[in-house]
Amino acid sequence: MGTLVTKGSGSLAVTAIGAHPAGEIQRLVAAELEPTPLTRKLARFARLLTVAIRRPPC
């Protein structure tokens, strides 16, 4: 069982995360995925909507 620390200070330096499940999650999140057709359509719609909102009223 670990030791309980009640006072003091310390520091920690993370040097690697690859061997831990968190490293696998980070690798998966960082991977660039090919956008799906729906994702591309939504991105296009968002750009059009942004342009429409930014235009001054006539």
Side-chain angles (χ1 to χ4, degrees):
M1 193 161 179
T3 305
L4 178 64
V5 177
T6 58
K7 291 184 179 182
S9 64
S11 63
L12 172 72
V14 177
T15 58
I17 60 172
H20 191 270
E24 181 67 17
I25 294 170
Q26 189 276 335
R27 186 185 66 77
L28 292 172
V29 170
E32 289 191 33
L33 301 175
E34 182 71 27
T36 65
L38 178 60
T39 305
R40 288 192 295 267
K41 287 180 181 179
L42 286 172
R44 183 173 184 269
F45 175 72
R47 287 191 302 271
L48 292 172
L49 189 60
T50 302
V51 169
I53 291 172
R54 288 187 177 190
R55 283 194 179 153
C58 295

